[in-house]
């Protein structure tokens, strides 16, 4: 981006010095076009700085919610209210990830029978990263459950609730978790019946690749994630 701006500035200088040879009217048109190009490039540069320069691939972030939403739709055919527990987004990039997660969940559920309600954790993405695979206390989930007592299920994009036995989670609706840091615990939770299903990273995933254009949610999911559920785990 910086090289492009430099190129525009060099072109402005060249056109200005050659304005007599080019003709004043033609030079003015060229200078005007270069000025517009410079403004556009500066705007793109500022936007990149604001968003941290992050490349956000929305389908990759949407596919876990889509797959878990479909699991919930199969388990609760009459529909109902579903809590989406996620961090409170701050930056533009974080908002795009958050919105992609909710969009995927709604698509997986089928919006006519289900209502997705948000419950935001006070934890930031940086807080979650500092947990280093540790699970969150049940209290982090309970607040959202208390706010929506009629919810039939909760989708946690923050991982698993900490529990030693199934009754530790009795005050929560069934929790469907996106647990990316602790797949072993997610497998154990599913096997013990603590939770119905979880999404984890696919160990063999190549995160340098991007989904091909036109890939559907299942195809994107299969590139990066694996579903653990009572139907797929022993």
């Amino acid at each position: 981006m910086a090289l492009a701006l430099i190129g525009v500035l060099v072109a402005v200088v060249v056109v200005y010095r050659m304005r007599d040879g080019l003709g004043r009217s033609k030079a003015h048109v060229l200078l005007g076009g270069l000025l517009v190009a410079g403004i556009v490039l500066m705007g793109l540069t500022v936007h990149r700085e604001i968003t941290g320069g992050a490349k956000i691939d929305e389908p990759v972030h949407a596919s876990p919610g889509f797959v878990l939403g479909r699991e919930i739709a199969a388990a609760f055919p009459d529909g109902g209210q579903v809590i989406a527990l996620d961090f409170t987004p701050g930056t533009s990039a974080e908002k795009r990830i958050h919105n992609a997660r909710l969009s995927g969940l709604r698509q997986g559920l089928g919006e006519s029978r289900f209502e997705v309600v948000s419950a935001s954790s006070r934890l930031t993405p940086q807080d979650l990263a500092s947990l280093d695979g540790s699970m969150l206390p049940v209290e982090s989930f309970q607040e959202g459950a208390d706010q929506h007592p009629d919810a039939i299920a909760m989708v946690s994009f923050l991982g698993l609730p900490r529990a030693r036995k199934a009754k530790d989670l009795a005050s929560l609706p069934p929790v469907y978790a996106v647990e990316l840091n602790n797949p072993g615990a997610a497998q154990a939770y599913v096997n013990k019946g603590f939770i119905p299903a979880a999404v984890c990273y696919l160990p063999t995933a190549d995160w340098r690749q991007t989904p091909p254009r036109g890939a559907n949610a299942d195809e994107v999911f299969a590139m990066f994630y694996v579903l653990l559920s009572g139907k797929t785990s022993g």
Side-chain angles (χ1 to χ4, degrees), residues 47-111:
H47 175 74
R48 185 177 177 83
E49 290 297 321
I50 291 173
T51 60
K55 180 183 182 295
I56 306 300
D57 201 331
E58 278 91 347
V60 174
H61 293 286
S63 62
F66 176 85
V67 169
L68 289 179
R70 190 167 55 194
E71 290 286 306
I72 295 170
F76 300 93
D78 292 334
Q81 198 175 71
V82 177
I83 301 169
L85 179 66
D86 202 358
F87 61 79
T88 300
T91 67
S92 174
E94 290 168 3
K95 290 176 182 176
R96 289 172 63 191
I97 291 172
H98 175 72
N99 290 337
R101 288 171 167 176
L102 294 183
S103 176
L105 176 58
R106 290 190 177 99
Q107 290 174 26
L109 288 168
E111 296 185 37

Side-chain angles (χ1 to χ4, degrees), residues 124-201:
T124 66
Q126 292 73 29
D127 293 330
L128 294 171
S130 69
L131 291 172
D132 192 25
S134 299
M135 288 177 275
L136 297 176
V138 173
E139 289 75 19
S140 297
F141 296 73
Q142 191 65 54
E143 185 175 350
D146 291 343
Q147 291 172 358
H148 307 286
D150 296 328
I152 59 169
M154 172 183 284
V155 175
S156 169
F157 293 101
L158 304 180
L160 298 168
R162 190 182 302 130
R164 293 185 177 180
K165 53 193 85 170
K167 72 176 185 179
D168 294 340
L169 307 179
S171 62
L172 302 176
V175 176
Y176 293 73
V178 179
E179 175 50 67
L180 302 181
N181 294 320
N182 206 334
Q187 181 75 70
Y189 270 44
V190 170
N191 290 347
K192 294 176 181 178
F194 286 15
I195 62 174
V199 165
C200 298
Y201 284 137

